[in-house]
Amino acid sequence: SVCHEKSSTRDLVELYPMDDNDSNAQEKSQGVTSLEECLSLALNYSSPPSKRSSCKSRHCQSACWSTTQHTCHCHTDPIWMPMVNTTVDSILLDWPCRHARQCSFNGHCSQGRCDCHPGWGGIRCGELQFLPVDRRNWGIRESQSNGTNATTNVSTWGAPILYDNLTQEWHGWISELIHGCGINAWQTNSQIVHIVAKNTTSWEFERREVFALPFAHEPSVKRGPNGTWVMLYSAYNDQTRHSSVHHRGYVHNHTSNHTDVPPMDVFQK
């Protein structure tokens, strides 16, 4: 019930139930009638030699069979990006590996199987192996009233996290959606919010203040060589529409009762 979210034309090939690649034969084809037939076609497919690649041919890494259109598509790209599709059945082919690249460089290939480094798993070592967590407390969970005596969750994503040695706090900046909107409304309802965590046992963050009003999102924060924190983020609003780059600085006051963010240079475009 899943298939690739997106594939380039070069990596997506439609497979037909005839060995003859003549276009007339394809037109006469009745389609691929079952998932098993799609699997058989995928196992026997190899792409013609390509000038772009040093490999002589490429095999199907996964395949998708449409239960309504009776089509079978082969994906030669090893990256698996599934999405829910109730009219499609998917096949992920487990070919023997030949080198570390086919183990995502997160393990080594041993006798055709990927032996993953600690922290990684999956047939291609492309899956992080996380320890169990209590998602009810970790991170930040926000809710807001929807005006009918009910609350709705606030959608957020991302968060670069940096540690401040002076205050012994962890600072983060999330992309938050206002007005109870979902992720589809990120272009006009996203803003950047500063969050802080003091307890590394529970890792529960608290909301401090809005850092950048809509529309702003995807902050990336790095520590500069002089200790200054530098942020790059995407934004568009009335204050920045006439300038592609905007600079703003913050002063960190460790003697006050309220702890602001450390010294920061901010660039938005």
Side-chain angles (χ1 to χ4, degrees):
S1 61
V2 299
C3 202
H4 270 276
E5 182 177 5
K6 57 183 178 180
S7 294
S8 65
T9 304
R10 185 166 59 91
D11 295 324
L12 182 65
V13 181
E14 184 169 359
L15 304 180
Y16 298 92
M18 290 187 177
D19 294 332
D20 190 351
N21 290 324
D22 182 72
S23 60
N24 292 329
Q26 293 177 6
E27 292 175 358
K28 296 178 182 179
S29 170
Q30 298 300 313
V32 180
T33 58
S34 67
L35 181 65
E36 290 73 17
E37 185 179 3
C38 183
L39 172 60
S40 177
L41 293 171
L43 287 171
N44 289 283
Y45 172 82
S46 61
S47 66
S50 173
K51 296 181 179 180
R52 299 181 180 180
S53 174
S54 59
C55 299
K56 294 182 179 180
S57 62
R58 303 177 71 187
H59 298 284
C60 292
Q61 302 299 318
S62 61
C64 298
W65 176 64
S66 171
T67 59
T68 56
Q69 298 179 1
H70 288 180
T71 56
C72 178
H73 285 86
C74 159
H75 299 266
T76 58
D77 186 347
I79 298 177
W80 176 240
M81 299 177 62
M83 67 173 294
V84 176
N85 189 331
T86 57
T87 64
V88 169
D89 284 335
S90 298
I91 307 165
L92 188 61
L93 281 72
D94 185 9
W95 295 105
C97 63
R98 291 177 295 176
H99 40 69
R101 180 174 62 84
Q102 294 178 329
C103 299
S104 308
F105 293 109
N106 295 321
H108 64 273
C109 182
S110 176
Q111 298 181 346
R113 308 297 297 178
C114 287
D115 185 7
C116 303
H117 297 322
W120 294 94
I123 62 175
R124 290 290 182 259
C125 301
E127 302 174 9
L128 281 171
Q129 303 295 291
F130 293 106
L131 294 174
V133 299
D134 185 355
R135 292 186 297 175
R136 296 171 299 177
N137 297 322
W138 284 42
I140 182 166
R141 298 181 65 87
E142 298 183 275
S143 61
Q144 63 184 12
S145 173
N146 60 10
T148 59
N149 296 324
T151 58
T152 58
N153 291 329
V154 176
S155 298
T156 63
W157 81 92
I161 305 295
L162 273 75
Y163 182 69
D164 183 7
N165 294 315
L166 295 178
T167 64
Q168 297 184 348
E169 293 177 325
W170 294 86
H171 295 264
W173 292 267
I174 58 175
S175 299
E176 177 187 85
L177 292 174
I178 62 175
H179 304 314
C181 297
I183 191 65
N184 292 335
W186 65 271
Q187 289 183 314
T188 54
N189 293 275
S190 60
Q191 64 182 10
I192 298 174
V193 175
H194 176 213
I195 59 175
V196 175
K198 297 181 179 180
N199 188 345
T200 56
T201 301
S202 65
W203 282 109
E204 186 174 0
F205 282 82
E206 64 179 33
R207 193 177 193 272
R208 281 288 174 88
E209 73 279 331
V210 176
F211 183 83
L213 293 170
F215 115 89
H217 54 264
E218 296 179 345
S220 177
V221 182
K222 302 296 182 182
R223 193 186 306 272
N226 63 349
T228 299
W229 292 4
V230 180
M231 176 187 289
L232 178 69
Y233 67 97
S234 301
Y236 180 87
N237 52 50
D238 292 338
Q239 287 73 37
T240 61
R241 65 172 57 180
H242 300 297
S243 175
S244 59
V245 177
H246 175 70
H247 174 271
R248 183 170 54 184
Y250 287 82
V251 177
H252 189 32
N253 184 1
H254 291 287
T255 60
S256 65
N257 293 329
H258 176 71
T259 304
D260 296 319
V261 295
M264 178 178 293
D265 292 329
V266 181
F267 300 91
Q268 67 181 31
K269 67 176 181 178

